[in-house]
Structures are given as C-alpha cells and as structure tokens.
Amino acid sequence: MVPTAPDRSPSGPDRPVVVLVDAYTSGKYLPPEFAALGADLVHVQSTPEFMPSMPAPDLSPYRAALVHQDVDRTVAQLAACRPVAVLAGQEPGVDLADVLAERLGVPANGTALSAARRDKYVMIETLRAAGLRCADQARSGDVDRLVAWARARGSWPVVVKPLRSAAGDSVFVCRDTAEVRQAAEAVLAGETIYQESNHEALVQSYLHGTEYVVDMVSRDGRRHLCGVWEYQKRLLPSGRNIYDRERLLAHDEGPAPALAAYVSAALDALGVRHGPTHAEVIMTPEGPALVEVGTRIAGNMHPGFHDACAGGNQATLTALAYLDPETFHARHADRSYRRRAHAVCCTTPTTQEGLVEAVDEAAVAAIRALPTVHGLNLKLGPGQYLRPTVDLYTSTLRVFLLSEDPGALARDLERLGELKDQVYRLRDRQESLL
C-alpha cells in the first residue's frame, strides 16, 4: 500500500477507515463527507490502469491507495487498516467492493446476489422471481438467436444493450429485425465503457411510459428516499436514446410514492441492505418496471445542488449511514426528501465533432450568469476530442439549475441550448447527422 499524499489530518487507531473502490466521477463527493465525520480514506483501484472512459480519481484525499491484483492480497492489505466500511465509488467497483466488504466482515450486501446487481439480465430475472413487474427479455452471444426472439415476440420496438455497462452505452431502440441484427452485432463487437468485452447482448421488450430516477441510501435494509427525478431523453435516428435533462419531483407528486415503493421492493429482492443506490424506472400503464439499478451514488450527484433543492444529498447520507447508523436510523430512515426548489440537471448533447483547442471562457461565463444556474461541470478540455453525443459520457456539459419559478428554469434552459455549442473551440469542426 503506497501513500499517495501526506496526511492532511491526524490519523491513528481511533480514526475509522473507509475504503472506496473506483471513486470515479461523482464518487469524488464521498471522501469529504466521510472525512467530515472523522474517517480516514483508502482508495482501491480495481484495474491495473485507470479507466480511460472517465477522468481519473483525485487521490489526494486518501491516506493510501492500492491497485488491486489478487483478492487475498488486497484483503490482507486492507485488513491491516481495520476498515469499518467498504463501498463502490462508482459502477465498475461494485463487484470488488462486495467481495472485499464480505471478506473483511464490515456491513455488506454480500456476494450471493452480486451478479444480480451488475448483470442486467440476472437483475431482471431476479425481480421476476420475486413477483415484480419487469421487461420480457433474452440474452445470447448469437445474433440470430436475438433476432429470432424479437421476431417471435412480434411487438415493436425492442431494446438491445450490453449486460454490464452504464450511462446509456450502446443502448439501441430497434423497430424491426434488421435493426435488432445491426444493434446486436454492434454490441457484440464492442466493449463496455469499462473495457469489458461483450460476450453476450441483451434484448428486451420496450417499456412504454415515462422514465424516472429514484435515488436512495440504505442501512440495515431501512432506506431514505433522496430524490425522484423525471427523465427527458432524445431518441436519435440511429436508435440511440440519449440523456437530455432530469427534473426533480416533489416527494408526493404524481408517481413518486409508487416509484419509491417499487424500488424499495426491488432492492429487497436484489439483497441491497447497505449504501447508496441509483435506480432507473419506467412508469408503464400497468405500473413501475425497472430499467436497471446501480449500487452506488447517482452520476448527477452534486452535494450543494441537492442540498439546495432537496434538503440533503446521497454523499452526506451515505457517510452518515456507514459511520453513524444510529443517527441515520433516528433522523433519516423510512423518510424522504422534501423539494425546496424546482430543479433540473441538464446534460447537453452535441452533433459537433473535432479536437478541442480551447474553452471559450466568455461562453462559460454567460452560462454561469444565467439566473437559475447553480453549477456547471465542463466534460472536456483542450487536447481532448469532442464526439457527437450517443450516451451520457459523450455529452458536453452537466448544468445544474434551480429556482422557485419553473418559468425562469424554462427560459434559462432555452438560452443554454443556444450557448452550449459555443463552449468548446474546435479544430476541423464537423457536424454529424446523428
């Protein structure tokens, strides 16, 4: 175990140690919350090199960091720190975090249902066995079998996607057998955003209805509902259904209570007793049906923004649930957020392509100056290549907006649409027909 930075606070046997596995993207918000409750942090990297599809984690908040090679060795290294918690910082760390937590004897969701929490086919079949509403589906590494399933089902569209990816990676909405074949071939020929080969592809019935996000934090099987967000997506001619924006519902608005109850039942079926979860659910005419759930914090998590619009955030509540479960149970378990302001998280798409030469600071300043903009994350910098948006990772900006006035949000979202493609100055700019 190699220290990555000088200790920034006293450490010793009386300070609890928390292990984060693969703290990419929004996982960066977890270390300060655990540190604020008096914990030291250790980072575990599940792969030999950092994953190029995501910015590398900042290791400066950690007492130490290690690169996982062998479970027995990693367990021995971590046991010397006597950790009180092990959890995934983001999706690629879920499997390893389950193993390490179980082996180290800290609060864990266990490994018996780990596959059901990562493999989308196993996930949905686990819900079906529990009597929960879910999509029809088939999986195979044989394109002809996937096409035959879709043809025999005879109801269109269907969805083709990888078994173990995320962020909308290689998810296709297919309207006929030719499109199923094309999508399945593309999935099987590629890798996930986590550099895993797709040996099989998944084909599912299309769930008609509005899609929602349901974020929770659990401790000992008791949960706090952190937010219910309504998705707005954009279907491209290619069949890709890309993220656009999500709007925070009031805790008792429309389908929110039914969605929360369904997700809690799904988490029970999947063996989730501890930690944060990020679920995507379609409210079909027959009721909620799960798209997928990740046992990690939401990708759009931003502590200050969520505190302002929902009165709390997953990162703070996750740290509390692991380090002070009594307080979590007393103040937060079996309760839900209360919306304090109308809020939208927008992930801006683009049809442009080219090498980023510079960031136009005037355009960034113009976006930040919009009255409802609370925060802005740039997803690219000089020297990086901008590609047309086909999933969450190829969106260009993440912008957080909130206001007591929904009309003000609508006006600023319209202006954001005018400014978004001015942020990056591109060399050899091209326009895609996606």
Side-chain angles (χ1 to χ4, degrees):
M1 194 179 301
V2 180
T4 60
D7 285 339
R8 300 182 184 275
S9 59
S11 62
D14 295 330
R15 287 178 64 85
V17 171
V18 173
V19 178
L20 298 181
V21 183
D22 289 340
Y24 294 97
T25 61
S26 57
K28 68 184 178 184
Y29 295 120
L30 289 169
E33 300 296 341
F34 280 108
L37 294 180
D40 286 340
L41 280 298
V42 172
H43 188 268
V44 174
Q45 178 182 321
S46 69
T47 52
E49 305 292 337
F50 284 127
M51 295 182 183
S53 58
M54 297 171 283
D58 175 12
L59 297 180
S60 63
Y62 296 89
R63 178 207 288 188
L66 61 91
V67 178
H68 170 70
Q69 296 177 335
D70 171 80
V71 170
D72 289 337
R73 178 183 179 188
T74 301
V75 168
Q77 290 175 305
L78 293 176
C81 301
R82 301 193 336 193
V84 299
V86 179
L87 64 153
Q90 265 303 324
E91 191 73 17
V94 167
D95 291 331
L96 181 57
D98 283 347
V99 172
L100 296 176
E102 186 172 82
R103 290 278 298 272
L104 290 163
V106 299
N109 293 322
T111 57
L113 290 172
S114 280
R117 296 191 289 268
R118 283 286 281 118
D119 183 302
K120 294 176 177 55
Y121 178 86
V122 180
M123 181 182 294
I124 296 304
E125 292 306 310
T126 301
L127 296 197
R128 196 186 318 282
L132 295 176
R133 186 181 299 104
C134 49
D136 298 330
Q137 61 175 3
R139 67 177 179 185
S140 179
D142 184 329
V143 172
D144 289 337
R145 288 181 180 269
L146 297 170
V147 172
W149 182 90
R151 181 186 293 114
R153 191 171 186 280
S155 179
W156 303 95
V158 297
V159 177
V160 175
K161 58 186 176 183
L163 293 173
R164 288 173 52 92
S165 200
D169 170 45
S170 298
V171 177
F172 297 90
V173 178
C174 303
R175 292 153 289 203
D176 56 36
T177 55
E179 291 187 359
V180 171
R181 181 174 298 280
Q182 183 178 19
E185 288 174 347
V187 170
L188 292 170
E191 294 183 332
T192 72
I193 55 175
Y194 308 126
Q195 284 74 60
E196 297 174 326
S197 297
N198 292 316
H199 300 295
E200 292 184 299
L202 179 62
V203 58
Q204 295 178 320
S205 58
Y206 184 85
L207 297 171
H208 293 274
T210 302
E211 185 171 355
Y212 296 87
V213 166
V214 180
D215 293 329
M216 293 183 170
V217 173
S218 302
R219 174 71 199 215
D220 302 309
R222 298 178 62 192
R223 318 192 199 287
H224 180 85
L225 176 63
C226 301
V228 178
W229 299 77
E230 180 182 283
Y231 265 143
Q232 178 177 316
K233 290 187 173 183
R234 185 177 307 180
L235 186 62
L236 301 176
S238 64
R240 297 289 188 99
N241 204 14
I242 62 171
Y243 295 84
D244 191 351
R245 66 189 66 164
E246 47 199 279
R247 174 185 71 89
L248 180 65
L249 274 61
H251 76 284
D252 56 356
E253 177 183 349
L259 291 164
Y262 173 90
V263 169
S264 187
L267 296 181
D268 286 340
L270 295 169
V272 177
R273 293 182 51 77
H274 302 285
T277 51
H278 173 68
E280 296 174 336
V281 188
I282 304 289
M283 178 54 81
T284 74
E286 295 76 31
L290 188 74
V291 177
E292 61 186 70
V293 61
T295 48
R296 40 78 176 179
I297 66 173
N300 80 339
M301 230 294 300
H302 182 291
F305 174 68
H306 284 75
D307 286 346
C309 66
N313 72 83
Q314 270 192 312
T316 300
L317 288 167
T318 295
L320 187 69
Y322 277 102
L323 295 181
D324 190 355
E326 293 80 10
T327 298
F328 178 84
H329 285 151
R331 299 182 183 176
H332 302 286
D334 311 315
R335 301 182 185 182
S336 69
Y337 71 102
R338 293 294 187 271
R339 189 176 68 185
R340 294 181 171 181
H342 295 279
V344 172
C345 176
C346 185
T347 48
T348 59
T350 188
T351 58
Q352 297 181 342
E353 182 172 5
L355 184 70
V356 177
E357 288 192 317
V359 172
D360 189 320
E361 296 298 340
V364 173
I367 294 173
R368 292 190 188 279
L370 294 173
T372 69
V373 169
H374 181 273
L376 166 66
N377 292 343
L378 298 175
K379 301 187 75 173
L380 294 166
Q384 294 180 286
Y385 198 82
L386 184 148
R387 290 179 170 80
T389 302
V390 295
D391 55 27
L392 188 60
Y393 283 173
T394 49
S395 60
T396 58
L397 306 169
R398 177 172 280 133
V399 186
F400 303 94
L401 307 94
L402 60 86
S403 176
E404 295 181 1
D405 177 10
L409 283 175
R411 289 190 294 273
D412 285 355
L413 284 165
E414 183 176 358
R415 180 61 178 146
L416 173 61
E418 297 168 353
L419 291 169
K420 66 181 179 66
D421 283 330
Q422 300 177 29
V423 168
Y424 301 107
R425 297 178 185 169
L426 303 180
R427 180 189 304 168
D428 301 325
R429 182 189 300 266
Q430 303 175 46
E431 291 284 343
S432 170
L433 296 177
L434 282 175

